[in-house]
Amino acid sequence: MSDSVVTTTDDLDVRLEKHRVELTGYCYRMLGSSFEAEDAVQDTMVRAWRNYEKFEGRSSLRSWLYRIATNVCLDMLSAGNKRARPVDLSDSTPLAQAALSPRADNTWLEPMPDARVLPTVADPAEAAVAKESVRLAFMAALQQLPPKQRAVLILREVLAWRANEVAELLDTSVASVNSALQRARATLAERDDKAADAAVSDPLDEEQRKLLERYVAAFEGYDMAALTALLHEDAIMTMPPFDLWLTGHDDITGFMTTIGSACEGSRLIPVQVNGLPGFAQYKPDPEAGGYAPWAVQILEISDGGLTGFHFFLDTKRWFPLFDLPLHLEAESDEVEEGA
């Protein structure tokens, strides 16, 4: 497969841009950071634009872009930082000992709107694999792999590249690629995940849609009995940038009525995030009136209930990423869903 010759800079820009979403998804899986992924893709585009005259066309433009993007990501990962979820760094905290202790931004896996990393594809099976591969548990598992194993696993298992294509991209042998893939699979198989994402229908089935409707009603009404009925006994709640995480509906609802009581009266706006259902949470703003951004929520569903929900609190970063307004008027009944 080879791309036709590019004759103008405008033509080249168009050809590069059509690969942006899939490259962002690739870099996001590699790096675990929304903003680093977008930086990596922009760096890739700039390098491709500057070096296009050296592109000899022996591979497709797409393959060449992935080679550049891989090198950019490997350079960015050379510092060795592994992004994580709170559940990866400590044991859960009993409510009686709960304290909000933030860690640096580069500690955490970051949320990402589906539209920025999941290209539109016709094959439902391919779309399902893509969604599963950006869910938080899988992303956290990827972070445990050495960078080159991470690249091999993503290219082979998620993007369905052939072993010889990956070998060519990484300037290595097919045997080396197969060995790296085996080691990566073994590492993931051994992983004892304390908060694995469950399968979510795509699109959501009727039961899951009703569950989300009940969740919105319970959360916006701050009805802890109704919320308890939706949570599995071992459900978890996390709140990056704080390293605290809670498990069990008693501690979760207890937190929400004590330390988290300012969330009462919030409004939830649906978003599609990390291949899962989610919400932008706005809580009442006593100073300006209306509602102020508070969190991007990601929900995990299994067996008719919620197994986890994760609140990403750095709203000055996240809400613009999702094209969400930074204020809701009290009288506003509708807001466009974030991208």
Side-chain angles (χ1 to χ4, degrees):
M1 51 178 183
S2 61
D3 293 63
S4 58
V5 176
V6 173
T7 58
T8 69
T9 56
D10 288 344
D11 189 23
L12 178 57
D13 288 340
V14 169
R15 289 180 178 274
L16 294 178
E17 281 299 317
K18 76 176 185 179
H19 297 289
R20 182 176 292 275
V21 172
E22 64 170 311
L23 287 172
T24 304
Y26 175 61
C27 293
Y28 176 60
R29 295 178 185 99
M30 286 290 291
L31 301 170
S33 163
S34 318
F35 297 104
E36 286 184 1
E38 296 203 329
D39 287 346
V41 172
Q42 192 58 33
D43 191 359
T44 297
M45 296 298 189
V46 170
R47 293 189 191 191
W49 201 91
R50 288 177 177 169
N51 293 286
Y52 184 74
E53 289 184 358
K54 300 176 184 176
F55 174 55
E56 298 176 352
R58 288 188 301 232
S59 63
S60 69
L61 180 63
R62 178 174 181 259
S63 297
W64 185 58
L65 288 172
Y66 269 92
R67 176 189 286 268
I68 298 171
T70 300
N71 289 334
V72 170
C73 290
L74 292 178
D75 287 344
M76 293 174 73
L77 290 167
S78 62
N81 182 54
K82 294 180 180 179
R83 290 179 177 266
R85 304 163 300 172
V87 297
D88 301 315
L89 301 181
S90 66
D91 293 328
S92 63
T93 304
L95 178 59
Q97 300 171 21
L100 299 179
S101 303
R103 297 201 191 190
D105 289 341
N106 65 0
T107 304
W108 306 116
L109 279 175
E110 296 177 347
M112 182 63 112
D114 285 0
R116 289 182 181 257
V117 293
L118 299 177
T120 301
V121 295
D123 183 356
E126 185 179 342
V129 168
K131 280 196 169 187
E132 289 168 8
S133 70
V134 294
R135 292 179 183 168
L136 294 176
F138 185 76
M139 292 284 296
L142 285 175
Q143 294 289 302
Q144 302 306 309
L145 301 175
K148 285 193 175 180
Q149 283 187 30
R150 200 179 308 176
V152 168
L153 185 80
I154 295 167
L155 291 165
R156 292 282 286 119
E157 303 262 290
V158 178
L159 301 177
W161 285 43
R162 295 190 295 271
N164 65 307
E165 294 173 326
V166 178
E168 182 179 353
L169 183 146
L170 294 174
D171 289 324
T172 188
S173 67
V174 170
S176 178
V177 166
N178 289 336
S179 176
L181 181 59
Q182 273 192 323
R183 294 197 302 273
R185 285 172 172 167
T187 298
L188 298 192
E190 292 170 1
R191 186 174 165 82
D192 180 20
D193 202 323
K194 290 177 280 190
D197 294 333
V200 178
S201 299
D202 182 27
L204 296 177
D205 62 31
E206 184 66 20
E207 180 184 9
Q208 291 167 343
R209 286 196 297 272
K210 288 181 178 178
L211 175 65
L212 292 179
E213 290 172 3
R214 291 168 61 200
Y215 171 75
V216 171
F219 195 95
E220 292 188 338
Y222 232 59
D223 183 339
M224 294 300 111
L227 187 59
T228 296
L230 301 177
L231 297 174
H232 281 266
E233 288 188 5
D234 57 353
I236 69 160
M237 184 172 94
T238 69
M239 293 164 285
F242 302 117
D243 56 12
L244 167 76
W245 64 282
L246 302 165
T247 185
H249 46 62
D250 289 342
D251 277 1
I252 290 172
T253 56
F255 179 90
M256 292 176 67
T257 54
T258 54
I259 299 172
S261 61
C263 289
E264 185 170 359
S266 291
R267 290 188 58 191
L268 300 181
I269 306 301
V271 294
Q272 295 298 315
V273 52
N274 285 84
L276 290 163
F279 296 93
Q281 178 191 344
Y282 292 81
K283 70 175 185 177
D285 187 341
E287 295 182 2
Y291 300 86
W294 182 245
V296 170
Q297 301 181 6
I298 299 179
L299 273 60
E300 297 163 349
I301 300 172
S302 178
D303 298 327
L306 298 176
T307 57
F309 52 142
H310 308 283
F311 295 71
F312 291 86
L313 304 182
D314 193 351
T315 53
K316 288 183 179 179
R317 301 175 75 212
W318 305 135
F319 276 47
L321 186 72
F322 284 79
D323 297 325
L324 291 161
L326 293 177
H327 184 79
L328 289 185
E329 298 298 334
E331 65 273 18
S332 175
D333 292 323
E334 300 290 338
V335 65
E336 288 186 0
E337 178 178 332

